[in-house]
């Protein structure tokens, strides 16, 4: 099962702190569809078990007025309930109706495969669901893809109209989906979006959130080498930038350094080599982010530095990175 990628623990998925529906489904020993009880219409009654043995338990909560209205108009509408494997409590989840029932059933059918580590199949499915006509399914797909490593998104190259990504980009009620929308916009957009991503980097240099990093990745996607040079020369070494924003920019550079495009990788290595010479305080960030990806290409540059004025932890991060790089024969 995939772990959260770059803004969770210093990665761009720190913006997805809660479990997604697929993660909860995987953990649930029982998954059922429920409707209003015929004898007591304000109570839920299990009508179909999707996962686990047939359940006969009483479900918690009342059928609220909105749900009753929906079920009155559409008698086939049901509510998905999941059982918590640790507490044995039931959790009310999404409304299932004609628009999303096939998707829910398809996901449940594939859970066993995905639990065995078939992440590629899972993310491919949700990549295709980004174009689903039901907005609920579209948002569900965004949340699941938010867990994918960026290299997975690059490989899938989900096709999404840029107008659709821009439409709800800044909605306060969907703040949690902004990072994944930005990443997908970078993969689907062109040079005309470069200014949007640069503005996002500049605006988030003093933020503790992930958007400085997310915009950096997307900017490099659409502007290539020009974005790399501007990121390092203008923003990474800015006195206004908080350390957390600097680290996210370095992480974005480390992520894009994995690209098969040699020109972009060479530009990243060259720009960072110059930057650490004049700003050695960013060396620990480079060590952490490139080391986390087993990328020892910055070893020679960091080995030549006299890193001082940093914490012992930061100094050790540089030393470990240089040592591992030397063991792998990256530099003399």
């Amino acid at each position: 099962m995939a772990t959260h990628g770059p803004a969770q623990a210093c990665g761009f998925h720190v913006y997805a702190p809660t479990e997604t529906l697929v993660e909860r489904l995987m953990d649930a020993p029982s998954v059922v569809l429920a409707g209003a009880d015929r004898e007591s219409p304000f109570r839920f009654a299990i009508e179909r078990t999707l996962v686990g043995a047939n359940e006969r338990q009483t479900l918690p909560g009342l059928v609220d007025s909105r749900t009753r209205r929906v079920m009155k108009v559409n008698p086939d509408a049901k509510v998905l309930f999941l059982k918590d494997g640790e507490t044995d409590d039931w959790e009310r989840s999404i409304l299932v109706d004609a628009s999303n029932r096939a998707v829910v059933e398809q996901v449940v059918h594939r859970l066993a495969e995905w639990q065995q580590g078939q992440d590629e199949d899972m993310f491919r499915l949700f990549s295709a669901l980004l174009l689903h006509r039901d907005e609920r399914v579209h948002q569900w797909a965004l949340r699941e893809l938010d867990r994918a490593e960026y290299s997975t998104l690059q490989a899938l190259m989900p096709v999404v109209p840029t107008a659709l990504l821009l439409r709800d980009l800044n909605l306060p009620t969907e703040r949690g989906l902004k990072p994944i929308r930005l990443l997908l916009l970078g993969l689907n957009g062109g040079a005309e979006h470069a200014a949007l991503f640069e503005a996002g980097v500049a605006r988030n240099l003093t933020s503790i959130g992930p958007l400085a990093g997310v915009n950096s990745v997307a900017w490099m996607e659409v502007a290539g080498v020009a974005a790399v040079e501007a990121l390092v020369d203008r923003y990474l070494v800015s006195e206004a930038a908080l350390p957390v924003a600097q680290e996210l920019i370095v992480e974005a550079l480390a992520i894009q350094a994995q690209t098969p495009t040699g020109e972009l990788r060479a530009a990243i290595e060259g720009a960072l080599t110059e930057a650490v010479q004049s700003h050695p305080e960013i060396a620990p960030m480079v060590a952490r982010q490139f080391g986390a990806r087993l990328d020892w290409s910055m070893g020679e540059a960091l080995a030549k530095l006299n890193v001082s004025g940093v914490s012992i932890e930061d100094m050790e991060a540089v030393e470990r990175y240089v040592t591992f790089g030397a063991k792998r024969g990256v530099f003399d």
Side-chain angles (χ1 to χ4, degrees):
M1 188 61 215
T3 56
H4 292 289
Q8 191 89 324
C10 208
F12 297 128
H13 298 77
V14 76
Y15 48 77
T18 58
E19 283 187 311
T20 65
L21 180 52
V22 166
E23 289 176 306
R24 298 199 303 277
L25 286 168
M26 286 185 174
D27 292 338
S30 295
V31 180
V32 301
L33 289 175
D37 192 306
R38 294 177 182 176
E39 297 181 0
S40 179
F42 290 94
R43 306 294 302 182
F44 283 105
I46 296 174
E47 297 189 10
R48 182 183 171 195
T49 299
L50 301 179
V51 174
N54 287 335
E55 292 282 356
R56 293 291 182 267
Q57 289 180 271
T58 301
L59 295 173
L62 297 175
V63 184
D64 58 272
S65 58
R66 179 181 178 277
T67 304
R68 288 199 304 275
R69 286 196 299 271
V70 171
M71 289 180 171
K72 185 175 182 179
V73 174
N74 180 6
D76 291 331
K78 308 299 174 191
V79 175
L80 192 73
F81 279 84
L82 320 174
K83 180 182 281 189
D84 188 302
E86 295 182 3
T87 66
D88 220 30
D89 294 333
W90 286 101
E91 170 199 344
R92 178 174 173 170
S93 186
I94 62 174
L95 184 73
V96 180
D97 55 26
S99 296
N100 66 351
R101 181 175 290 108
V103 173
V104 171
E105 291 178 346
Q106 187 177 20
V107 167
V108 170
H109 179 71
R110 297 193 188 189
L111 283 177
E113 295 179 19
W114 295 347
Q115 286 172 322
Q116 300 303 314
Q118 298 294 324
D119 294 346
E120 184 178 343
D121 177 71
M122 177 180 61
F123 290 130
R124 187 183 299 113
L125 171 64
F126 283 105
S127 175
L129 290 174
L130 286 168
L131 297 179
H132 198 279
R133 64 183 182 277
D134 190 315
E135 179 64 19
R136 297 170 301 172
V137 175
H138 171 70
Q139 291 190 3
W140 183 11
L142 286 173
R143 292 187 181 93
E144 299 299 342
L145 287 173
D146 195 30
R147 296 188 295 113
E149 295 292 339
Y150 188 68
S151 58
T152 300
L153 292 180
Q154 286 179 309
L156 288 172
M157 284 297 291
V159 177
V160 195
T162 57
L164 179 61
L165 295 168
L166 288 167
R167 185 190 67 191
D168 299 327
L169 185 63
N170 294 310
L171 277 183
T173 54
E174 296 187 20
R175 188 178 296 109
L177 292 175
K178 184 169 185 175
I180 185 61
R181 283 191 170 112
L182 285 168
L183 293 177
L184 292 174
L185 183 60
L187 290 169
N188 284 269
E192 69 273 16
H193 296 107
L196 182 151
F197 297 131
E198 180 175 7
V201 174
R203 190 166 52 249
N204 288 280
L205 286 179
T206 57
S207 170
I208 61 172
L211 292 179
V214 172
N215 279 286
S216 296
V217 167
W219 187 12
M220 284 184 276
E221 200 67 50
V222 301
V225 172
V228 171
E229 294 173 349
L231 271 171
V232 176
D233 297 340
R234 197 177 306 159
Y235 299 108
L236 175 58
V237 298
S238 169
E239 293 183 0
L242 290 177
V244 65
Q246 290 178 303
E247 182 118 15
L248 286 169
I249 292 173
V250 171
E251 183 175 34
L253 292 160
I255 287 171
Q256 288 288 28
Q258 310 304 305
T259 179
T261 305
E263 183 183 17
L264 187 63
R265 179 176 177 85
I268 291 169
E269 292 176 8
L272 281 177
T273 296
E274 291 185 13
V276 296
Q277 291 171 358
S278 56
H279 294 81
E281 68 275 8
I282 68 173
M285 303 176 189
V286 174
R288 280 190 292 269
Q289 297 307 326
F290 278 75
R293 290 158 181 82
L294 305 181
D295 183 340
W296 314 109
S297 58
M298 294 300 299
E300 186 171 2
L302 298 193
K304 296 177 180 178
L305 292 179
N306 177 19
V307 181
S308 59
V310 299
S311 69
I312 294 176
E313 182 182 7
D314 280 351
M315 191 171 295
E316 289 177 346
V318 174
E319 291 174 353
R320 281 195 302 271
Y321 180 81
V322 170
T323 299
F324 276 114
K327 286 181 178 179
R328 284 156 179 75
V330 176
F331 55 95
D332 295 328

